[in-house]
Amino acid sequence: MTDVRTRFAPSPTGYLHVGGIRTAVFAWLVARQGRGQFVLRLEDTDKKREVVGSDAHLMKSLRALGLDYDEGPDIGGPYAPYRQSERLATYKPWVQKLLDSGRAYADPYTAEEVQAFREQAQKNKQPFLYRNHRPQNPPAWNGSQALRFKSEPKAYKWHDAIMGDLSVGPETIDDFILMKSDGYPTYNFAHIIDDEEMKISHIIRGQEFIASVPNYLNLYEALELTPPVMATAPHVLGPDGKKKLSKRDGAKDVLDYIRDGYLPEALVNFIASLGWNDGSEQEIFTIDELIAKFSLDRVQRSGAHFDERRLAWMNGYYIRQLDLSDLFEKVRNYWPTEAQDYDDEYKKRVLGLVQERLKYFSELPELTLFFFKDLPPDPKLISEHKQLKKMNSEDLKALLEQAKAVLEESDFSLEDLTDRLNKLLEATSQKPAVLFSLIRIATTQAAASPGLAETMAVLGKTRILKRLDQMLNSL
Ligand code: GLU
Protein backbone atom coordinates (compact mmCIF):
# COMPACT_ATOMS: atom_id res chain seq x y z
CA MET A 1 0.00 0.00 0.00
CA THR A 2 1.16 3.50 -0.77
CA ASP A 3 1.76 5.88 2.10
CA VAL A 4 -1.15 8.10 2.94
CA ARG A 5 -0.38 11.70 2.08
CA THR A 6 -3.20 14.19 1.87
CA ARG A 7 -3.12 17.88 1.25
CA PHE A 8 -5.10 21.02 1.79
CA ALA A 9 -4.46 23.29 -1.16
CA PRO A 10 -6.24 26.60 -0.65
CA SER A 11 -5.80 29.65 -2.79
CA PRO A 12 -4.94 32.65 -0.61
CA THR A 13 -7.86 34.69 -1.87
CA GLY A 14 -9.54 35.71 1.36
CA TYR A 15 -10.95 34.49 4.58
CA LEU A 16 -11.84 30.86 5.20
CA HIS A 17 -15.35 30.22 6.35
CA VAL A 18 -16.25 27.07 8.23
CA GLY A 19 -17.54 25.41 5.06
CA GLY A 20 -14.30 26.12 3.21
CA ILE A 21 -12.16 24.44 5.81
CA ARG A 22 -14.18 21.22 5.77
CA THR A 23 -12.00 19.60 3.10
CA ALA A 24 -9.01 20.38 5.32
CA VAL A 25 -10.70 18.58 8.22
CA PHE A 26 -11.45 15.57 6.02
CA ALA A 27 -7.93 15.50 4.58
CA TRP A 28 -6.37 15.86 8.03
CA LEU A 29 -8.49 13.01 9.41
CA VAL A 30 -7.57 10.71 6.52
CA ALA A 31 -3.88 11.49 7.02
CA ARG A 32 -3.96 10.95 10.78
CA GLN A 33 -5.98 7.77 10.44
CA GLY A 34 -3.49 6.38 7.93
CA ARG A 35 -0.53 7.52 10.05
CA GLY A 36 0.56 9.50 7.03
CA GLN A 37 1.25 13.15 6.36
CA PHE A 38 -0.97 16.14 5.95
CA VAL A 39 0.50 18.77 3.63
CA LEU A 40 -0.41 22.44 3.26
CA ARG A 41 0.18 23.82 -0.22
CA LEU A 42 -0.71 27.36 -1.18
CA GLU A 43 -2.08 27.67 -4.68
CA ASP A 44 -1.19 31.24 -5.40
CA THR A 45 -0.84 31.36 -9.16
CA ASP A 46 -3.84 33.58 -9.74
CA LYS A 47 -2.19 36.82 -8.81
CA LYS A 48 -5.25 38.93 -9.59
CA ARG A 49 -7.36 37.17 -6.95
CA GLU A 50 -4.71 37.03 -4.26
CA VAL A 51 -5.52 38.80 -1.00
CA VAL A 52 -2.49 40.02 0.93
CA GLY A 53 -2.23 38.37 4.34
CA SER A 54 -4.69 35.60 3.64
CA ASP A 55 -1.90 33.00 3.55
CA ALA A 56 -0.90 33.81 7.13
CA HIS A 57 -4.58 33.87 8.09
CA LEU A 58 -5.09 30.40 6.61
CA MET A 59 -2.18 28.96 8.52
CA LYS A 60 -3.37 30.56 11.73
CA SER A 61 -6.85 29.11 11.18
CA LEU A 62 -5.54 25.57 10.68
CA ARG A 63 -3.41 25.81 13.81
CA ALA A 64 -6.27 27.29 15.82
CA LEU A 65 -8.34 24.21 14.99
CA GLY A 66 -5.47 21.90 15.84
CA LEU A 67 -5.16 20.74 12.23
CA ASP A 68 -1.40 20.54 12.38
CA TYR A 69 0.33 20.04 9.06
CA ASP A 70 3.52 18.08 8.57
CA GLU A 71 4.79 20.04 5.59
CA GLY A 72 3.93 23.52 4.46
CA PRO A 73 5.10 26.95 3.33
CA ASP A 74 6.17 28.11 6.79
CA ILE A 75 7.71 24.86 8.02
CA GLY A 76 9.18 23.40 4.84
CA GLY A 77 9.44 19.69 4.15
CA PRO A 78 10.97 17.23 1.69
CA TYR A 79 9.07 18.63 -1.28
CA ALA A 80 9.54 22.34 -0.62
CA PRO A 81 8.67 24.93 -1.70
CA TYR A 82 4.98 24.64 -0.82
CA ARG A 83 3.82 27.77 -2.62
CA GLN A 84 3.01 27.25 -6.26
CA SER A 85 4.38 30.63 -7.28
CA GLU A 86 7.78 29.44 -6.05
CA ARG A 87 7.61 26.17 -7.97
CA LEU A 88 7.81 27.45 -11.52
CA ALA A 89 11.01 25.49 -12.18
CA THR A 90 9.22 22.29 -11.16
CA TYR A 91 6.59 22.69 -13.86
CA LYS A 92 9.11 23.30 -16.67
CA PRO A 93 10.15 19.70 -17.46
CA TRP A 94 6.51 18.63 -17.45
CA VAL A 95 5.67 21.39 -19.91
CA GLN A 96 8.57 20.22 -22.03
CA LYS A 97 7.33 16.66 -21.92
CA LEU A 98 3.96 17.76 -23.31
CA LEU A 99 5.58 19.96 -25.96
CA ASP A 100 7.87 17.10 -27.02
CA SER A 101 4.99 14.68 -27.35
CA GLY A 102 2.90 17.20 -29.27
CA ARG A 103 0.32 17.43 -26.50
CA ALA A 104 0.66 21.16 -25.86
CA TYR A 105 0.54 24.14 -28.17
CA ALA A 106 0.70 27.91 -28.07
CA ASP A 107 -2.67 29.63 -28.12
CA PRO A 108 -2.58 32.04 -31.09
CA TYR A 109 -5.81 33.84 -30.31
CA THR A 110 -6.50 37.04 -28.49
CA ALA A 111 -9.01 37.01 -25.65
CA GLU A 112 -11.47 38.84 -27.94
CA GLU A 113 -11.17 36.16 -30.61
CA VAL A 114 -11.86 33.39 -28.10
CA GLN A 115 -14.83 35.37 -26.82
CA ALA A 116 -16.16 35.66 -30.40
CA PHE A 117 -15.95 31.85 -30.79
CA ARG A 118 -17.83 31.46 -27.55
CA GLU A 119 -20.59 33.83 -28.63
CA GLN A 120 -20.89 32.12 -31.99
CA ALA A 121 -21.35 28.75 -30.26
CA GLN A 122 -24.00 30.28 -28.03
CA LYS A 123 -25.85 31.62 -31.05
CA ASN A 124 -25.78 28.17 -32.63
CA LYS A 125 -27.00 26.74 -29.32
CA GLN A 126 -23.92 24.56 -29.10
CA PRO A 127 -21.58 24.12 -26.16
CA PHE A 128 -18.37 26.04 -26.66
CA LEU A 129 -15.34 23.83 -27.17
CA TYR A 130 -11.99 25.40 -27.76
CA ARG A 131 -10.77 22.32 -29.56
CA ASN A 132 -13.19 23.05 -32.42
CA HIS A 133 -11.00 26.04 -33.14
CA ARG A 134 -7.67 24.35 -32.64
CA PRO A 135 -5.19 26.17 -34.92
CA GLN A 136 -3.71 24.19 -37.83
CA ASN A 137 -0.23 25.60 -37.49
CA PRO A 138 0.20 27.09 -34.01
CA PRO A 139 3.20 29.36 -33.53
CA ALA A 140 6.16 28.09 -31.52
CA TRP A 141 5.54 28.60 -27.80
CA ASN A 142 7.84 31.30 -26.45
CA GLY A 143 6.47 31.49 -22.91
CA SER A 144 4.57 34.71 -23.44
CA GLN A 145 1.50 33.15 -25.05
CA ALA A 146 -0.91 30.91 -23.20
CA LEU A 147 -0.05 27.23 -23.56
CA ARG A 148 -2.93 24.85 -24.19
CA PHE A 149 -3.28 21.16 -23.63
CA LYS A 150 -4.02 19.21 -26.82
CA SER A 151 -6.72 16.91 -25.52
CA GLU A 152 -7.73 13.50 -26.86
CA PRO A 153 -11.48 13.41 -26.36
CA LYS A 154 -12.86 10.13 -25.09
CA ALA A 155 -15.31 8.79 -22.58
CA TYR A 156 -14.26 8.23 -18.96
CA LYS A 157 -15.36 6.08 -16.08
CA TRP A 158 -13.76 6.65 -12.74
CA HIS A 159 -14.31 6.09 -9.07
CA ASP A 160 -14.66 8.93 -6.61
CA ALA A 161 -14.17 7.91 -2.98
CA ILE A 162 -17.21 9.94 -1.97
CA MET A 163 -19.34 10.23 -5.08
CA GLY A 164 -18.90 6.62 -6.17
CA ASP A 165 -18.65 5.44 -9.78
CA LEU A 166 -18.88 8.26 -12.29
CA SER A 167 -18.77 8.43 -16.04
CA VAL A 168 -18.93 11.02 -18.81
CA GLY A 169 -18.77 11.04 -22.57
CA PRO A 170 -16.06 12.70 -24.67
CA GLU A 171 -18.02 15.92 -25.11
CA THR A 172 -16.66 17.47 -21.92
CA ILE A 173 -13.01 17.02 -22.85
CA ASP A 174 -11.38 20.18 -24.14
CA ASP A 175 -8.09 21.95 -24.73
CA PHE A 176 -7.62 23.84 -21.48
CA ILE A 177 -4.88 26.29 -20.57
CA LEU A 178 -1.80 24.86 -18.88
CA MET A 179 0.34 27.96 -18.67
CA LYS A 180 -1.07 31.48 -18.72
CA SER A 181 0.49 34.29 -20.68
CA ASP A 182 1.69 35.83 -17.39
CA GLY A 183 4.05 32.89 -16.95
CA TYR A 184 2.10 31.18 -14.15
CA PRO A 185 0.52 27.76 -14.51
CA THR A 186 -3.22 27.30 -14.10
CA TYR A 187 -4.65 25.40 -11.17
CA ASN A 188 -5.74 22.73 -13.66
CA PHE A 189 -2.14 22.00 -14.57
CA ALA A 190 -0.17 22.90 -11.45
CA HIS A 191 -2.15 20.80 -9.00
CA ILE A 192 -1.58 17.68 -11.07
CA ILE A 193 2.16 18.20 -11.15
CA ASP A 194 2.36 19.13 -7.49
CA ASP A 195 0.26 16.21 -6.32
CA GLU A 196 2.58 13.95 -8.30
CA GLU A 197 5.81 15.56 -7.11
CA MET A 198 4.60 15.68 -3.51
CA LYS A 199 3.48 12.03 -3.65
CA ILE A 200 -0.07 12.88 -2.66
CA SER A 201 -2.20 9.74 -2.25
CA HIS A 202 -5.65 11.36 -1.87
CA ILE A 203 -7.09 14.50 -3.40
CA ILE A 204 -9.97 15.66 -1.23
CA ARG A 205 -11.59 18.76 -2.65
CA GLY A 206 -14.84 20.60 -3.20
CA GLN A 207 -17.57 19.89 -5.69
CA GLU A 208 -16.68 22.83 -7.93
CA PHE A 209 -13.89 20.76 -9.49
CA ILE A 210 -15.78 17.61 -10.35
CA ALA A 211 -16.81 18.72 -13.84
CA SER A 212 -13.14 19.18 -14.72
CA VAL A 213 -12.01 15.73 -13.58
CA PRO A 214 -12.38 14.14 -17.08
CA ASN A 215 -10.04 16.82 -18.41
CA TYR A 216 -7.60 16.06 -15.61
CA LEU A 217 -7.77 12.35 -16.42
CA ASN A 218 -6.93 13.16 -20.02
CA LEU A 219 -3.92 15.15 -18.88
CA TYR A 220 -2.78 12.45 -16.44
CA GLU A 221 -2.68 10.06 -19.42
CA ALA A 222 -0.73 12.47 -21.57
CA LEU A 223 1.77 12.86 -18.74
CA GLU A 224 1.82 9.08 -18.15
CA LEU A 225 0.83 9.54 -14.53
CA THR A 226 -1.49 7.56 -12.28
CA PRO A 227 -3.98 9.85 -10.55
CA PRO A 228 -4.27 9.78 -6.76
CA VAL A 229 -7.52 8.66 -5.12
CA MET A 230 -10.04 11.41 -5.74
CA ALA A 231 -12.72 12.38 -3.25
CA THR A 232 -15.22 15.11 -3.98
CA ALA A 233 -16.95 16.66 -0.99
CA PRO A 234 -20.39 18.03 -1.87
CA HIS A 235 -21.14 21.66 -1.15
CA VAL A 236 -21.93 22.86 2.31
CA LEU A 237 -25.33 24.49 1.92
CA GLY A 238 -26.76 27.42 3.80
CA PRO A 239 -29.46 26.89 6.43
CA ASP A 240 -32.20 26.98 3.76
CA GLY A 241 -30.62 23.88 2.21
CA LYS A 242 -30.64 25.40 -1.26
CA LYS A 243 -27.71 27.65 -1.95
CA LYS A 244 -24.05 27.08 -1.30
CA LEU A 245 -23.11 28.41 2.13
CA SER A 246 -21.87 31.96 2.11
CA LYS A 247 -20.89 34.65 4.54
CA ARG A 248 -24.41 36.02 4.30
CA ASP A 249 -25.78 32.86 5.89
CA GLY A 250 -23.83 33.74 9.00
CA ALA A 251 -20.98 31.38 8.22
CA LYS A 252 -18.14 33.14 9.88
CA ASP A 253 -14.44 32.94 9.51
CA VAL A 254 -12.91 30.15 11.58
CA LEU A 255 -10.91 32.65 13.60
CA ASP A 256 -14.07 34.62 14.37
CA TYR A 257 -15.56 31.52 15.93
CA ILE A 258 -12.42 30.99 17.96
CA ARG A 259 -12.56 34.62 19.06
CA ASP A 260 -16.21 34.19 20.08
CA GLY A 261 -15.17 31.37 22.34
CA TYR A 262 -15.88 28.24 20.37
CA LEU A 263 -13.61 25.37 21.33
CA PRO A 264 -11.41 23.88 18.59
CA GLU A 265 -12.58 20.35 19.45
CA ALA A 266 -16.20 21.39 19.07
CA LEU A 267 -15.53 23.14 15.78
CA VAL A 268 -13.68 20.14 14.35
CA ASN A 269 -16.44 17.81 15.56
CA PHE A 270 -19.06 20.06 13.97
CA ILE A 271 -17.21 20.52 10.68
CA ALA A 272 -16.44 16.80 10.36
CA SER A 273 -20.09 16.02 10.87
CA LEU A 274 -21.18 18.35 8.06
CA GLY A 275 -22.28 15.54 5.80
CA TRP A 276 -20.58 12.71 7.68
CA ASN A 277 -21.68 10.31 10.39
CA ASP A 278 -20.45 6.90 11.45
CA GLY A 279 -23.75 5.18 10.75
CA SER A 280 -24.96 5.46 14.33
CA GLU A 281 -26.86 8.22 16.12
CA GLN A 282 -23.68 9.47 17.75
CA GLU A 283 -23.09 13.20 17.31
CA ILE A 284 -20.32 13.97 19.74
CA PHE A 285 -16.95 12.59 18.71
CA THR A 286 -13.65 13.30 20.39
CA ILE A 287 -10.79 14.04 18.01
CA ASP A 288 -9.42 10.52 18.60
CA GLU A 289 -12.80 8.99 17.82
CA LEU A 290 -13.02 11.02 14.63
CA ILE A 291 -9.58 9.86 13.58
CA ALA A 292 -10.53 6.26 14.26
CA LYS A 293 -13.98 6.35 12.70
CA PHE A 294 -13.90 8.82 9.83
CA SER A 295 -14.23 7.36 6.37
CA LEU A 296 -14.69 9.03 3.01
CA ASP A 297 -17.24 6.49 1.85
CA ARG A 298 -19.60 7.57 4.61
CA VAL A 299 -19.58 11.20 3.53
CA GLN A 300 -23.01 11.88 2.10
CA ARG A 301 -23.26 12.72 -1.59
CA SER A 302 -25.80 15.46 -1.29
CA GLY A 303 -25.07 18.90 0.13
CA ALA A 304 -24.59 19.19 3.87
CA HIS A 305 -26.61 21.73 5.85
CA PHE A 306 -24.84 24.33 7.88
CA ASP A 307 -26.79 25.02 11.06
CA GLU A 308 -25.12 27.45 13.39
CA ARG A 309 -27.50 26.56 16.23
CA ARG A 310 -26.22 23.02 16.08
CA LEU A 311 -22.66 24.30 16.32
CA ALA A 312 -23.63 26.37 19.37
CA TRP A 313 -25.35 23.36 20.93
CA MET A 314 -22.28 21.22 20.32
CA ASN A 315 -19.99 23.84 21.74
CA GLY A 316 -22.20 24.11 24.82
CA TYR A 317 -21.84 20.37 25.25
CA TYR A 318 -18.04 20.64 25.15
CA ILE A 319 -18.12 23.56 27.58
CA ARG A 320 -20.15 21.52 30.07
CA GLN A 321 -17.50 18.78 29.98
CA LEU A 322 -14.72 21.14 31.09
CA ASP A 323 -13.84 21.27 34.73
CA LEU A 324 -14.51 24.61 36.30
CA SER A 325 -10.91 25.72 36.76
CA ASP A 326 -10.10 24.86 33.16
CA LEU A 327 -13.14 26.79 31.92
CA PHE A 328 -12.22 29.66 34.23
CA GLU A 329 -8.81 29.98 32.57
CA LYS A 330 -10.33 29.84 29.10
CA VAL A 331 -12.88 32.61 29.75
CA ARG A 332 -10.46 35.02 31.44
CA ASN A 333 -10.82 37.62 28.69
CA TYR A 334 -14.56 37.34 28.24
CA TRP A 335 -16.00 38.77 31.46
CA PRO A 336 -18.02 41.98 31.36
CA THR A 337 -15.89 45.02 32.29
CA GLU A 338 -17.79 45.38 35.55
CA ALA A 339 -16.35 42.04 36.70
CA GLN A 340 -12.89 43.52 37.12
CA ASP A 341 -13.80 44.73 40.63
CA TYR A 342 -14.55 41.18 41.78
CA ASP A 343 -12.15 38.49 42.95
CA ASP A 344 -11.58 35.15 41.23
CA GLU A 345 -13.45 33.31 43.94
CA TYR A 346 -16.68 35.19 43.24
CA LYS A 347 -16.25 34.93 39.46
CA LYS A 348 -15.69 31.19 39.75
CA ARG A 349 -18.95 30.82 41.66
CA VAL A 350 -20.75 32.82 38.97
CA LEU A 351 -19.12 30.75 36.24
CA GLY A 352 -20.13 27.55 38.01
CA LEU A 353 -23.73 28.73 37.82
CA VAL A 354 -23.75 29.62 34.11
CA GLN A 355 -21.53 26.81 32.82
CA GLU A 356 -24.65 24.75 32.17
CA ARG A 357 -26.09 27.36 29.84
CA LEU A 358 -23.01 28.91 28.25
CA LYS A 359 -22.86 28.08 24.54
CA TYR A 360 -19.80 30.17 23.67
CA PHE A 361 -17.59 32.44 25.71
CA SER A 362 -18.63 35.78 24.26
CA GLU A 363 -22.09 35.17 25.69
CA LEU A 364 -20.63 35.53 29.16
CA PRO A 365 -21.31 39.27 29.66
CA GLU A 366 -24.95 38.88 28.68
CA LEU A 367 -25.44 35.90 30.99
CA THR A 368 -23.60 37.30 33.99
CA LEU A 369 -23.85 41.08 34.01
CA PHE A 370 -26.40 41.13 36.84
CA PHE A 371 -23.92 39.36 39.10
CA PHE A 372 -21.62 42.36 38.85
CA LYS A 373 -23.85 45.33 38.30
CA ASP A 374 -27.15 46.58 39.76
CA LEU A 375 -29.37 47.13 36.78
CA PRO A 376 -32.40 49.42 36.97
CA PRO A 377 -35.72 47.54 37.33
CA ASP A 378 -37.18 46.72 33.96
CA PRO A 379 -41.03 46.73 34.04
CA LYS A 380 -41.11 45.25 30.52
CA LEU A 381 -39.89 41.95 31.92
CA ILE A 382 -43.13 41.79 33.88
CA SER A 383 -45.47 43.21 31.25
CA GLU A 384 -44.11 40.69 28.73
CA HIS A 385 -44.20 37.70 31.06
CA LYS A 386 -46.89 35.17 30.19
CA GLN A 387 -48.35 34.87 33.70
CA LEU A 388 -47.15 37.99 35.47
CA LYS A 389 -48.66 40.34 32.92
CA LYS A 390 -52.13 39.16 33.99
CA MET A 391 -51.58 40.26 37.58
CA ASN A 392 -52.17 43.73 38.95
CA SER A 393 -49.41 45.63 40.66
CA GLU A 394 -50.99 45.34 44.10
CA ASP A 395 -50.82 41.56 43.94
CA LEU A 396 -47.31 41.67 42.57
CA LYS A 397 -46.25 43.99 45.34
CA ALA A 398 -47.88 41.83 47.98
CA LEU A 399 -45.97 38.80 46.72
CA LEU A 400 -42.69 40.65 46.68
CA GLU A 401 -43.29 41.97 50.21
CA GLN A 402 -43.90 38.44 51.40
CA ALA A 403 -40.74 37.26 49.70
CA LYS A 404 -38.77 40.07 51.24
CA ALA A 405 -40.00 39.29 54.73
CA VAL A 406 -38.99 35.65 54.39
CA LEU A 407 -35.60 36.43 52.86
CA GLU A 408 -34.74 38.97 55.56
CA GLU A 409 -34.69 36.06 57.99
CA SER A 410 -32.42 33.90 55.83
CA ASP A 411 -28.70 33.35 56.39
CA PHE A 412 -28.45 33.04 52.58
CA SER A 413 -26.91 29.62 52.64
CA LEU A 414 -28.11 27.57 49.70
CA GLU A 415 -29.97 25.11 51.97
CA ASP A 416 -31.75 27.81 53.86
CA LEU A 417 -32.72 29.73 50.72
CA THR A 418 -34.05 26.59 49.04
CA ASP A 419 -36.04 25.74 52.10
CA ARG A 420 -37.51 29.22 52.50
CA LEU A 421 -38.42 29.56 48.83
CA ASN A 422 -40.28 26.25 48.94
CA LYS A 423 -42.15 27.25 52.05
CA LEU A 424 -43.03 30.55 50.45
CA LEU A 425 -44.43 28.67 47.49
CA GLU A 426 -46.72 26.74 49.80
CA ALA A 427 -47.73 29.78 51.84
CA THR A 428 -48.66 31.83 48.77
CA SER A 429 -50.18 28.86 46.86
CA GLN A 430 -48.57 30.24 43.73
CA LYS A 431 -47.07 28.31 40.86
CA PRO A 432 -43.28 28.39 40.66
CA ALA A 433 -43.67 29.94 37.19
CA VAL A 434 -45.32 32.93 38.87
CA LEU A 435 -43.57 33.31 42.19
CA PHE A 436 -40.06 32.38 41.19
CA SER A 437 -40.26 34.32 37.92
CA LEU A 438 -41.27 37.42 39.81
CA ILE A 439 -38.46 37.09 42.33
CA ARG A 440 -36.02 36.25 39.53
CA ILE A 441 -36.97 39.33 37.53
CA ALA A 442 -36.78 41.52 40.61
CA THR A 443 -33.37 40.28 41.69
CA THR A 444 -31.61 39.72 38.36
CA GLN A 445 -33.44 41.93 35.84
CA ALA A 446 -33.35 38.93 33.57
CA ALA A 447 -36.08 36.61 32.39
CA ALA A 448 -33.80 33.61 32.75
CA SER A 449 -31.04 32.87 35.20
CA PRO A 450 -29.40 29.89 36.82
CA GLY A 451 -31.33 28.27 39.70
CA LEU A 452 -32.97 30.97 41.81
CA ALA A 453 -31.67 29.88 45.21
CA GLU A 454 -28.17 29.34 43.79
CA THR A 455 -28.21 32.76 42.15
CA MET A 456 -29.39 34.47 45.34
CA ALA A 457 -26.76 32.69 47.42
CA VAL A 458 -24.04 34.08 45.17
CA LEU A 459 -25.49 37.58 44.98
CA GLY A 460 -25.83 37.77 48.77
CA LYS A 461 -28.36 39.19 51.15
CA THR A 462 -27.60 42.90 50.93
CA ARG A 463 -27.84 42.98 47.18
CA ILE A 464 -30.96 40.85 46.99
CA LEU A 465 -32.88 42.92 49.53
CA LYS A 466 -31.83 46.14 47.85
CA ARG A 467 -33.02 44.88 44.47
CA LEU A 468 -36.34 43.72 45.90
CA ASP A 469 -36.86 47.22 47.32
CA GLN A 470 -36.04 48.81 43.98
CA MET A 471 -38.56 46.64 42.20
CA LEU A 472 -41.20 47.35 44.87
CA ASN A 473 -40.66 51.07 44.36
CA SER A 474 -41.00 50.80 40.63
CA LEU A 475 -44.27 48.87 40.62
N1 GLU B 1 -6.78 25.86 -4.94
C1 GLU B 1 -8.04 25.19 -5.00
C2 GLU B 1 -9.04 25.97 -4.20
O1 GLU B 1 -8.67 26.74 -3.36
C3 GLU B 1 -7.85 23.83 -4.37
C4 GLU B 1 -8.56 22.71 -4.98
C5 GLU B 1 -7.88 21.41 -4.56
O2 GLU B 1 -7.92 21.06 -3.38
O3 GLU B 1 -7.26 20.79 -5.40
O4 GLU B 1 -10.22 25.85 -4.38
Side-chain angles (χ1 to χ4, degrees):
M1 247 195 70
T2 48
D3 293 339
V4 174
R5 288 178 54 83
T6 66
R7 80 323 188 254
F8 182 48
S11 303
T13 53
Y15 89 123
L16 197 59
H17 75 49
V18 277
I21 210 159
R22 185 177 58 147
T23 48
V25 171
F26 288 178
W28 183 83
L29 289 171
V30 169
R32 294 293 167 258
Q33 185 175 70
R35 296 180 190 285
Q37 289 90 42
F38 175 59
V39 176
L40 174 65
R41 179 174 78 221
L42 289 174
E43 305 208 320
D44 60 344
T45 62
D46 190 346
K47 290 296 169 190
K48 289 192 295 293
R49 288 179 56 225
E50 196 163 327
V51 173
V52 178
S54 57
D55 51 353
H57 190 96
L58 276 161
M59 295 189 256
K60 207 171 156 192
S61 303
L62 291 174
R63 292 213 168 91
L65 289 180
L67 304 177
D68 54 320
Y69 42 91
D70 306 292
E71 299 164 29
D74 56 341
I75 54 172
Y79 305 101
Y82 291 89
R83 260 177 224 274
Q84 286 185 328
S85 62
E86 294 169 7
R87 298 177 58 78
L88 300 184
T90 308
Y91 308 123
K92 271 205 178 131
W94 295 97
V95 165
Q96 198 54 49
K97 179 169 176 154
L98 291 170
L99 285 168
D100 292 346
S101 58
R103 296 299 302 276
Y105 62 92
D107 181 341
Y109 302 117
T110 62
E112 291 76 26
E113 285 169 315
V114 175
Q115 184 54 24
F117 296 150
R118 185 170 284 125
E119 281 164 17
Q120 190 57 45
Q122 244 163 22
K123 252 191 225 146
N124 301 345
K125 296 206 165 31
Q126 277 173 342
F128 168 70
L129 283 171
Y130 187 96
R131 61 176 153 85
N132 291 341
H133 305 274
R134 204 182 267 169
Q136 290 298 321
N137 295 303
W141 187 62
N142 61 22
S144 70
Q145 318 104 309
L147 184 72
R148 291 226 175 224
F149 175 49
K150 188 172 176 188
S151 63
E152 280 180 359
K154 58 192 237 192
Y156 279 101
K157 279 192 172 68
W158 76 101
H159 183 78
D160 184 289
I162 294 175
M163 294 296 184
D165 291 326
L166 301 170
S167 59
V168 293
E171 62 282 350
T172 59
I173 309 287
D174 200 8
D175 292 2
F176 59 89
I177 296 179
L178 303 166
M179 297 294 295
K180 296 176 287 177
S181 57
D182 64 5
Y184 286 105
T186 56
Y187 163 77
N188 292 339
F189 177 52
H191 87 275
I192 289 181
I193 304 307
D194 288 336
D195 287 341
E196 169 66 19
E197 297 267 356
M198 295 179 178
K199 301 199 167 28
I200 297 301
S201 62
H202 296 66
I203 297 178
I204 299 163
R205 66 183 152 203
Q207 196 177 338
E208 53 276 32
F209 298 97
I210 200 159
S212 305
V213 168
N215 276 314
Y216 302 154
L217 294 174
N218 211 241
L219 180 58
Y220 278 112
E221 280 173 18
L223 292 166
E224 299 170 288
L225 297 177
T226 310
V229 172
M230 292 193 197
T232 301
H235 288 318
V236 178
L237 305 174
D240 67 354
K242 291 189 189 113
K243 289 183 313 317
K244 200 174 146 186
L245 179 69
S246 75
K247 214 174 179 172
R248 252 175 292 131
D249 299 311
K252 286 184 285 197
D253 185 286
V254 168
L255 292 180
D256 284 341
Y257 282 112
I258 298 283
R259 225 169 283 131
D260 276 350
Y262 285 81
L263 296 162
E265 312 83 272
L267 279 161
V268 170
N269 188 159
F270 172 75
I271 295 167
S273 61
L274 283 172
W276 174 85
N277 63 57
D278 71 342
S280 73
E281 298 286 297
Q282 187 174 344
E283 294 192 79
I284 302 292
F285 294 90
T286 63
I287 299 291
D288 286 341
E289 282 176 314
L290 284 174
I291 293 173
K293 295 185 172 177
F294 182 78
S295 71
L296 289 169
D297 60 9
R298 286 209 52 88
V299 175
Q300 74 187 34
R301 293 176 187 174
S302 54
H305 284 216
F306 173 80
D307 179 356
E308 200 179 41
R309 281 169 318 183
R310 182 159 181 268
L311 170 58
W313 164 80
M314 220 175 235
N315 200 56
Y317 177 89
Y318 278 86
I319 287 178
R320 289 195 290 283
Q321 307 308 307
L322 295 174
D323 62 58
L324 188 59
S325 44
D326 192 8
L327 178 60
F328 186 68
E329 287 312 315
K330 288 191 182 351
V331 302
R332 259 192 196 284
N333 299 322
Y334 291 88
W335 291 103
T337 0
E338 289 77 1
Q340 69 197 17
D341 304 331
Y342 292 79
D343 61 18
D344 284 3
E345 207 41 54
Y346 182 78
K347 283 192 267 187
K348 251 188 210 165
R349 289 180 73 195
V350 171
L351 188 61
L353 291 187
V354 298
Q355 178 168 16
E356 193 66 25
R357 290 177 53 220
L358 190 63
K359 294 192 294 301
Y360 45 90
F361 302 159
S362 60
E363 266 190 329
L364 201 57
E366 190 192 321
L367 293 182
T368 64
L369 187 59
F370 67 82
F371 283 105
F372 304 104
K373 188 181 178 188
D374 294 319
L375 304 160
D378 181 358
K380 266 214 339 243
L381 287 170
I382 290 185
S383 62
E384 286 171 2
H385 189 277
K386 220 167 119 198
Q387 274 105 355
L388 298 179
K389 70 177 176 194
K390 293 185 222 151
M391 296 171 68
N392 63 43
S393 60
E394 289 316 306
D395 292 345
L396 292 171
K397 270 188 179 174
L399 277 182
L400 280 181
E401 290 287 3
Q402 256 180 295
K404 197 181 144 194
V406 165
L407 293 169
E408 270 169 345
E409 302 298 311
S410 174
D411 63 4
F412 270 67
S413 66
L414 183 56
E415 301 69 35
D416 187 62
L417 283 166
T418 312
D419 191 42
R420 281 175 197 271
L421 285 172
N422 286 334
K423 290 205 175 109
L424 185 63
L425 201 59
E426 274 170 45
T428 59
S429 348
Q430 288 290 351
K431 293 199 197 84
V434 171
L435 181 69
F436 293 166
S437 296
L438 178 62
I439 301 175
R440 167 173 290 118
I441 288 173
T443 56
T444 67
Q445 305 307 336
S449 77
L452 187 55
E454 287 84 349
T455 302
M456 294 209 285
V458 171
L459 279 164
K461 189 166 184 170
T462 318
R463 224 164 189 175
I464 292 292
L465 293 178
K466 184 172 134 203
R467 291 184 182 184
L468 284 172
D469 277 333
Q470 277 177 338
M471 185 53 114
L472 277 165
N473 291 335
S474 81
L475 280 170

